[in-house]
């Protein structure tokens, strides 16, 4: 395998050492998107115009649009601000999409009727037929509330509009991972992830999706007591089989060659890779990834350990940097 990059190789925005503050214990879904952070702050203060400008300039960069809308919509007051925007600009697809995703978040928090959220997503989809983002809202609902038939139906519509949709693939793989396995290294989540990675362009971040599938199965197995919850100094058997080793090698080699600093959800992939390398007992590769992650730890997959996700991240990072 190609050796990992020096651990001093980090993004310019990373702090000295490339590490998150040891005791911050925080996760930010914006993942360092400065324009998104500004628009989210304005929205929280009751001003929707910055969100309007942000989504207008995002255009049809579907992964970035989905990321930005989802983060904006998570603000507790987003549904009210989006409603005000829609009153000011009736028929605005951007306003309708933000409102729909805000209602999705409210439904997932138990604050909204899921059927109202679903109807709002379909209304937004009608205003912007090419946009996969309203279908991402339906996918988020189906992932948590079911039924599974809605998960696959929403993914089909989303995939038709953007075959490489990053968030959509992650949600589908997470759902499939909960199905019973066919054998120790046989599972339809693995098959689906490898097929998507193979069909995507060579530079697509979906190359990391097979690792995500293994992490999602780790979540299911750990919850059932069939795998160690927290990556430790000894390699976890879940990551030790021939297929798992092949998946890890392919994803890490892809990262070395194709790393995309501009992808809006790249830090989620980096955290999945760091989690996998830690669980597989490969501290050198994990250390390189932790340095690249810098301050952008993500809740998933560290929340899959059954303990506080920040504690799990910090424990794995400390071990990797000490031994890698």
């Amino acid at each position: 395998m190609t050796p990992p990059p020096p651990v001093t190789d980090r993004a310019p925005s990373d702090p000295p050492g490339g590490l998150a503050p040891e005791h911050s214990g925080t996760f930010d879904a914006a993942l360092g998107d400065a324009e998104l952070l500004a628009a989210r702050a304005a929205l929280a203060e009751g001003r929707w115009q910055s969100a309007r400008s942000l989504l207008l300039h995002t255009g049809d960069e579907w992964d970035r649009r989905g990321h930005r809308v989802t983060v904006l919509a998570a603000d507790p007051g987003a549904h009210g601000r989006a409603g005000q925007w829609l009153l000011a600009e009736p028929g605005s697809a951007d306003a309708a999409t933000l409102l729909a995703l805000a209602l999705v978040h409210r439904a997932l928090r138990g604050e909204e009727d899921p059927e109202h959220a679903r109807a709002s997503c379909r209304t937004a989809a009608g205003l912007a037929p090419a946009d996969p983002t309203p279908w991402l809202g339906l996918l988020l609902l189906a992932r948590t509330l079911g039924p599974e038939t809605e998960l696959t139906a929403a993914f089909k519509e989303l995939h038709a509009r953007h075959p490489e949709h990053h968030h959509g693939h992650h949600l589908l793989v997470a759902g499939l991972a909960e199905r019973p396995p066919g054998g120790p290294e046989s599972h339809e989540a693995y098959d689906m992830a490898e097929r998507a990675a193979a069909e995507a362009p060579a530079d697509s971040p979906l190359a990391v999706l097979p690792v995500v599938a293994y992490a999602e199965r780790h979540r299911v197995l750990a919850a059932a007591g069939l795998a160690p919850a927290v990556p430790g100094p000894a390699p976890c058997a879940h990551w030790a089989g021939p297929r798992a080793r092949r998946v890890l090698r392919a994803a890490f080699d892809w990262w070395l060659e194709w790393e995309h600093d501009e992808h809006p959800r790249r830090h989620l992939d980096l955290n999945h890779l760091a989690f996998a390398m830690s669980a597989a007992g490969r501290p050198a590769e994990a250390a390189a990834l932790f340095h690249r992650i810098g301050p952008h730890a993500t809740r998933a997959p560290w929340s899959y350990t059954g303990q506080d996700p920040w504690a799990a991240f910090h424990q794995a990072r400390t071990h990797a940097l000490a031994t890698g």
Side-chain angles (χ1 to χ4, degrees):
M1 175 185 291
T2 307
V7 294
T8 53
D9 180 20
R10 61 180 184 271
S13 59
D14 289 350
L19 302 178
E22 286 193 1
H23 304 293
S24 70
T26 59
F27 301 94
D28 189 349
L31 300 178
D33 184 331
E35 293 176 304
L36 174 58
L37 287 166
R40 185 178 65 181
L43 196 68
E45 294 171 357
R47 295 177 283 114
W48 52 263
Q49 291 82 1
S50 292
R52 179 188 185 277
S53 177
L54 179 73
L55 297 183
L56 176 66
H57 288 97
T58 304
D60 61 359
E61 292 183 67
W62 299 130
D63 276 349
R64 192 174 305 279
R65 178 176 170 83
H67 173 64
R68 286 175 164 177
V69 171
T70 302
V71 172
L72 290 172
D75 184 271
H79 68 293
R81 311 308 179 205
Q84 294 168 3
W85 177 5
L86 202 54
L87 285 173
E89 297 183 6
S92 166
D94 285 350
T97 299
L98 180 59
L99 176 61
L101 270 290
L103 294 176
V104 165
H105 278 284
R106 283 177 56 80
L108 295 178
R109 295 193 297 261
E111 301 168 356
E112 186 67 58
D113 179 3
E115 285 305 319
H116 184 204
R118 290 187 182 98
S120 294
C121 287
R122 294 188 180 99
T123 297
L127 290 171
D131 187 357
T133 311
W135 297 100
L136 175 62
L138 289 169
L139 197 61
L140 285 163
L141 282 171
R143 170 70 190 104
T144 301
L145 304 179
E148 190 176 282
T149 53
E150 289 194 13
L151 181 76
T152 53
F155 179 80
K156 182 178 179 181
E157 295 287 350
L158 178 145
H159 185 269
R161 290 160 175 79
H162 182 37
E164 296 174 57
H165 201 286
H166 192 273
H167 197 168
H169 278 85
H170 277 231
L171 290 169
L172 181 63
V173 161
L176 293 178
E178 294 170 0
R179 292 178 176 177
E185 284 206 311
S186 175
H187 198 281
E188 57 189 303
Y190 303 160
D191 297 338
M192 178 269 175
E194 290 192 36
R195 184 167 59 252
E199 292 174 354
D203 64 346
S204 171
L206 290 186
V208 182
L209 193 64
V211 172
V212 176
Y214 262 84
E216 294 293 349
R217 278 300 294 165
H218 192 145
R219 168 179 60 84
V220 174
L221 294 171
L226 300 175
V230 183
C236 172
H238 177 67
W239 298 92
R243 188 175 190 178
R245 292 198 303 271
R246 173 173 56 79
V247 160
L248 278 179
R249 181 171 62 250
F252 190 75
D253 286 350
W254 177 88
W255 174 66
L256 290 174
E257 183 175 1
W258 291 101
E259 183 191 8
H260 286 287
D261 283 341
E262 76 281 0
H263 193 274
R265 285 166 52 87
R266 64 191 179 280
H267 294 296
L268 193 64
D269 286 335
L270 289 171
N271 276 266
H272 274 89
L273 278 171
F275 176 86
M277 291 299 180
S278 297
R282 295 166 64 169
E285 291 95 333
L289 291 158
F290 280 118
H291 274 275
R292 181 58 91 184
I293 288 167
H296 302 298
T298 57
R299 187 170 297 277
W302 305 103
S303 59
Y304 299 169
T305 63
Q307 69 169 152
D308 174 77
W310 181 260
F313 171 81
H314 181 64
Q315 177 180 324
R317 186 189 70 185
T318 299
H319 175 73
L321 296 178
T323 58

